[in-house]
Structure formats: structure tokens, C-alpha cells
Amino acid sequence: MNLNQAVVLMIVMCLLVLVIVLAKNKIEFIVNILLRMVSGMICIHFLNAMFVARGIDLLVGINLSTVGTIGVLGIPGLLLIYAITALKFL
């Protein structure tokens, strides 16, 4: 193996390690967003049920925009959606 082949092999190995690390972080990021989406849907469901039981007309629908907002922003997204809904009724 000459020097050029060794350099090419080292570059390929470094790129392979970089791709593996980026793929792992990307998968972790996607799983994190999906878990936030599912937990956000559950929170919306239980909060809507609690508001109905107390006679408060502050219901949020479960749709792609609300679930996407909660998936990206997390708890602040959930609070934001309920704040927008509350301000709409004022």
C-alpha cells in the first residue's frame, strides 16, 4: 500500500465515522420529536376532558398543526396553543 492509498483509506474511514454519528443524532432527534408529539396529543386529550368536566369552553383540536407545534416546541408549544385558544374567546 502506497502513501496515496493510505490517505484515501483514512479519509474514507473518517467520512464513514462521521456519517454514522450524524445518522445516530438524526434518528435520536426524530424519535424525540415523535415522543413529544404523542405526549402532546395525550396532554391535549386530558386537558380537553378536564375543561369539559369543569364547564370551561377552551377546547383545542388534535390536528397536524397543533401536534407539529407541540412536537417542535414541547411544553411551551402546548401552552402557546392553549393561550391562542383562550385569547380567541376573549
Side-chain angles (χ1 to χ4, degrees):
M1 181 182 303
N2 63 19
L3 184 61
N4 289 339
Q5 290 175 337
V7 170
V8 170
L9 181 63
M10 288 172 50
I11 291 172
V12 169
M13 294 301 287
C14 288
L15 289 175
L16 183 64
V17 169
L18 183 63
V19 167
I20 290 171
V21 168
L22 289 177
K24 179 185 174 204
N25 289 341
K26 187 175 182 180
I27 290 172
E28 186 177 317
F29 179 71
I30 291 171
V31 169
N32 188 7
I33 287 180
L34 290 175
L35 287 175
R36 281 193 232 164
M37 289 173 136
V38 170
S39 64
M41 286 189 296
I42 293 169
C43 286
I44 288 174
H45 176 73
F46 284 119
L47 286 171
N48 284 344
M50 183 183 75
F51 289 145
V52 167
R54 295 184 188 266
I56 301 171
D57 190 28
L58 189 65
L59 302 176
V60 172
I62 297 176
N63 55 39
L64 187 60
S65 62
T66 58
V67 172
T69 301
I70 294 170
V72 172
L73 298 177
I75 293 173
L78 180 69
L79 297 175
L80 175 70
I81 290 171
Y82 273 101
I84 291 171
T85 306
L87 289 175
K88 185 172 69 173
F89 288 115
L90 291 179

